[in-house]
Amino acid sequence: MDPTTPVLRDSNLYRYKGFCFFKELMPLDFIESLQDFEIRDDDVFMITYPKSGTIWTQQILSLIYCDGYRNGTEFIDTAEKVPWIEFRSYDKDADCNSRPSPRLFASHLSYNFVPPGLKNGKAKVIYVMRNPKDVMKSLYHFEAMANYAETSPDFGHFFHKFLDGDVFAGAWFDHVRGWYTHKDEFNILFIKYEDMIMDLRSVVKQMCTFLDKELDDESLDIVVKRATFNEMKKDPFANKENMPDNFFDLKIGKFMRKGTIGDWKNSMTVALNEKFDALFQEKMADLGLHFIWDMNGGI
Ligand code: PPS
């Protein structure tokens, strides 16, 4: 019997154990094969719900780990330095076994789909989260430019689609709750997008400490400078300009779109916002997680 179920508002997706996968890009047998993926003690995984600062953190990890990337002598796609484990089509080297340590990986997977070797081990996980109203806004725009997702007619429609988890990766609430409540099983550092916006240098230092990577002040300055929104906006890899045309329509939108806190206010009505706040309270209050919701520091 097929263990997957259809996703109501996007026929490109299938749901399996609460997560929504792209049918074409993430076949079930491949996802299940990740259970056999061998983890090394010095592996580093960067995990996010989509639109939470993935490419930003990929960039920072590349800059921290690769001298050539930092000093500008290397021009390599960050997605090659920090490849996805769940997108088979992205993989140049499917099981990544030939890659030298330390290996860096990116993933949008929920805690129950990552390779089991990540649990109770030495390998490191950096989980980046972002306030879900901005995640929703960013994903709404992304959906319009992604050729493999069904586009919503308006933000109101997308709002319900997002709340019901009828989007890639499923419901934001489940993703964050899953990782946060299982944190004791992983060697994990939680980072917030908003803290990166407010004080990038401090967050990079925090990451370096967690990763046992000592950078001198000059190197740290370079990492921070090259990871600013304005610098990344000019970077063709950060904007995925090298991806095949059939993936994204970059005339419709950009990966480096606004890069700010509170853009949801430009789309969410008062009624939708109240509904969201009530749901957020109901689903997340017990976790004690706090987010910055706008540039005035509204918490
Ligand atoms: S994806 O498609 O899931 O990998 O997207 P992801 O990279 O997680 O998220 C994209 C959003 O991150 C913003 N971004 C940044 N903000 C501030 N500073 C820097 N350097 C930066 N890099 C990426 C990007 O603009 C997307 O957010 P929105 O709100 O759409 O602008």
Side-chain angles (χ1 to χ4, degrees), residues 156-215:
H157 178 276
F158 184 74
F159 180 89
H160 295 286
K161 186 173 171 178
F162 181 83
L163 291 195
D164 292 345
D166 282 358
V167 291
F168 167 50
W172 179 90
F173 300 100
D174 295 341
H175 201 280
V176 172
R177 169 171 286 278
W179 276 102
Y180 202 68
T181 54
H182 288 83
K183 57 181 182 291
D184 293 345
E185 295 165 28
F186 298 92
N187 182 7
I188 192 165
L189 173 73
F190 288 93
I191 281 182
K192 292 200 184 116
Y193 175 97
E194 292 76 20
D195 291 340
M196 289 161 78
I197 292 274
M198 296 296 185
D199 186 353
L200 183 56
R201 194 184 168 91
S202 293
V203 176
V204 172
K205 277 173 99 168
Q206 197 187 357
M207 282 169 68
C208 287
T209 304
F210 175 69
L211 298 167
D212 295 319
K213 290 288 293 181
E214 241 180 78
L215 292 188

Side-chain angles (χ1 to χ4, degrees), residues 47 92 108 111 113 137 144 176 188 211 251 273 281:
I47 315 247
K92 306 274 185 303
H108 286 314
Y111 81 96
F113 283 110
K137 179 70 189 285
V176 172
I188 192 165
L211 298 167
K251 290 189 280 316
N273 188 32
Q281 235 354 67

Side-chain angles (χ1 to χ4, degrees), residues 48-60 84 108 130 134-135 137-139 141-142 148 168 193 196-197 200 226-233 238 240 248 254-261 263:
T48 56
Y49 184 85
K51 298 296 146 191
S52 302
T54 320
I55 301 170
W56 195 1
T57 316
Q58 268 178 314
Q59 175 91 348
I60 293 169
W84 299 91
H108 286 314
R130 182 183 192 185
D134 279 323
V135 168
K137 179 70 189 285
S138 183
L139 198 53
H141 286 283
F142 179 73
Y148 48 80
F168 167 50
Y193 175 97
M196 289 161 78
I197 292 274
L200 183 56
R226 292 204 46 204
T228 57
F229 185 73
N230 284 340
E231 284 292 314
M232 287 182 59
K233 223 177 147 101
K240 311 237 180 256
F248 310 110
K254 296 251 172 295
F255 276 84
M256 299 297 117
R257 194 183 62 89
K258 285 211 168 169
T260 189
I261 311 172
D263 187 43

Side-chain angles (χ1 to χ4, degrees), residues 19 22 24 54 69 83 104 125 136 140 145-146 197 204 208 277:
F19 196 95
F22 284 111
E24 295 281 320
T54 320
Y69 206 61
L104 308 172
V125 177
M136 189 192 310
Y140 171 63
M145 66 189 252
I197 292 274
V204 172
C208 287
D277 285 345

Side-chain angles (χ1 to χ4, degrees), residues 18 77 95-96 108 112 118 131 134 205 224 238 262 264 272 283:
D77 189 348
D95 63 6
C96 298
H108 286 314
N112 50 331
L118 252 189
N131 91 56
D134 279 323
K205 277 173 99 168
V224 173
W264 59 272
L272 290 182
K283 288 189 175 276

